[in-house]
Amino acid sequence: MSGNTITSTAAEATRTAPGAASRRTSLALSGAVRELDLRRGEFELAVQLGYVRTVPGETGGRRVTRAELDRVRGGEDFPDSLRKRVEVMGTRDGAALMGVSPARFTRFARLGLIVPVKWYLNRYQAVVWLYLAEELRQFATGEANAPLLAGRTPQGLRDQLDGGLDLRPRNWRGRHLGFRLRETDDLWAKAAVVASHLDPAQVEETVRDPYERAELYRLRPTQAVPGSPDSPAARIAARITTADDDDEIGWLRADLAQALVEARRYRPAPGAPSAQPAGPPGGVSARQGPPMRADPTSSRGMFGWLRRGSS
């Protein structure tokens, strides 16, 4: 066989190999990070916020098409404009940006007027909340917020703060849930995302079938926290990621029940009977309620709101 024939045969094999076209027209996330000249954390946030769209990979995971990379790179003042949109700040820098004291900034966050986008534990195991700088600028320049920025906090809000109100964990959970739902098209994985913010006892009461619970736990996303599962850091992470008041638990359970109805229509859980009741399991009522955010966009239940936002 001649050398030209061998070369031609190899080229043909490349063209016809399964997934070859996909690899030529899309990149793994690590490659997309380099192509967009972003830090890993900046890229992850850009994906979560929908500034960079991903597609499912043929062998799992997510990829970024070359067309999408070209679209993002073609934006005005790239990459600085994209970096500005995903810039995050902690309390001290955020307060300076808004022209208020750190104590007032923290009050805004506890009241849900500004919503954290990320968090981490510092060396002292203290929770550090991070906020989108773009949202802080918008809040600081909003005319309706001027009295809050300079005046005395209204008595009703002070009473809530004195009563221990702190909506930062709950509002982060609502936002993070939306991020996670946009990362997958699999209906069982979406249900697992909702279940990940419920205590295991709540999941067991809502999902009576053990095979379905096993599938949810298999697909459950994890929060990257250093240390062993029973370490202080893991316990802090569990408190932040798990719903802890009755109304939040109620609408998460209702949304999980609805997610299960849709997932069962998609496919049964491995090992579970194919025929499942088409209704909320465990006697869960369809009580719904919006997340406690400063800018709720719907009152029809969080799962539906987030699903619309991911379209």
Side-chain angles (χ1 to χ4, degrees):
M1 182 181 292
S2 69
N4 288 340
T5 302
I6 294 174
T7 302
S8 175
T9 302
E12 181 64 24
T14 300
R15 285 195 295 271
T16 59
S22 174
R23 288 192 294 273
R24 287 198 301 271
T25 59
S26 67
L27 275 75
L29 299 186
S30 57
V33 171
R34 294 190 296 271
E35 291 275 342
L36 295 176
D37 195 22
L38 297 173
R39 298 186 182 93
R40 182 73 187 194
E42 292 174 331
F43 174 80
E44 290 174 352
L45 196 50
V47 170
Q48 291 172 343
L49 293 168
Y51 298 146
V52 179
R53 297 187 293 260
T54 64
V55 296
E58 291 189 358
T59 58
R62 308 290 293 184
R63 297 178 67 85
V64 181
T65 65
R66 292 195 177 275
E68 176 67 1
L69 293 173
D70 291 341
R71 183 192 69 82
V72 175
R73 283 194 299 246
E76 184 178 357
D77 196 25
F78 173 84
D80 292 340
S81 59
L82 181 56
R83 286 177 178 154
K84 185 176 181 179
R85 297 171 81 183
V86 298
E87 180 184 10
V88 294
M89 292 182 170
T91 297
R92 184 179 63 181
D93 291 341
L97 175 66
M98 297 174 66
V100 299
S101 69
R104 185 178 291 256
F105 182 95
T106 299
R107 289 197 293 271
F108 291 161
R110 287 179 58 192
L111 289 165
L113 300 173
I114 52 178
V115 178
V117 71
K118 297 176 70 173
W119 65 272
Y120 68 92
L121 296 178
N122 64 16
R123 67 170 71 179
Y124 306 108
Q125 302 292 284
V127 179
V128 178
W129 297 101
L130 298 175
Y131 306 82
L132 284 172
E134 185 175 50
E135 291 183 352
L136 301 183
R137 294 187 188 96
Q138 292 172 357
F139 185 90
T141 56
E143 292 184 9
N145 300 323
L148 291 170
L149 292 166
R152 185 174 175 80
T153 303
Q155 183 62 49
L157 297 181
R158 293 204 304 271
D159 290 344
Q160 293 182 59
L161 292 170
D162 291 342
L165 178 70
D166 188 352
L167 296 178
R168 288 173 296 182
R170 176 169 179 167
N171 283 342
W172 174 83
R173 286 191 292 270
R175 186 166 222 169
H176 186 70
L177 182 51
F179 292 163
R180 289 290 196 180
L181 289 174
R182 285 191 286 270
E183 289 178 349
T184 182
D185 299 315
D186 183 274
L187 295 180
W188 278 99
K190 287 181 181 291
V193 169
V194 180
S196 71
H197 290 297
L198 286 167
D199 182 271
Q202 299 288 349
V203 174
E204 185 170 351
E205 289 181 7
T206 308
V207 187
R208 297 300 179 87
D209 189 297
Y211 295 102
E212 293 184 341
R213 288 200 304 273
E215 182 70 348
L216 294 179
Y217 287 129
R218 183 181 72 83
L219 297 171
R220 180 186 180 103
T222 57
Q223 177 72 34
V225 176
S228 62
D230 59 348
S231 66
R235 289 195 290 270
I236 294 171
R239 288 200 300 270
I240 292 174
T241 58
T242 305
D244 60 358
D245 61 50
D246 289 343
D247 67 318
E248 183 185 8
I249 291 170
W251 50 252
L252 276 172
R253 289 184 62 175
D255 288 340
L256 175 57
Q258 180 59 38
L260 282 171
V261 171
E262 298 179 10
R264 291 169 186 147
R265 292 171 182 158
Y266 173 59
R267 64 170 172 82
S274 58
Q276 294 288 346
V284 179
S285 66
R287 182 167 66 89
Q288 302 272 353
M292 298 185 69
R293 295 170 56 97
D295 58 342
T297 58
S298 170
S299 60
R300 294 178 57 192
M302 186 183 66
F303 188 69
W305 167 62
L306 293 171
R307 185 169 52 231
R308 288 195 301 275
S310 66
S311 60

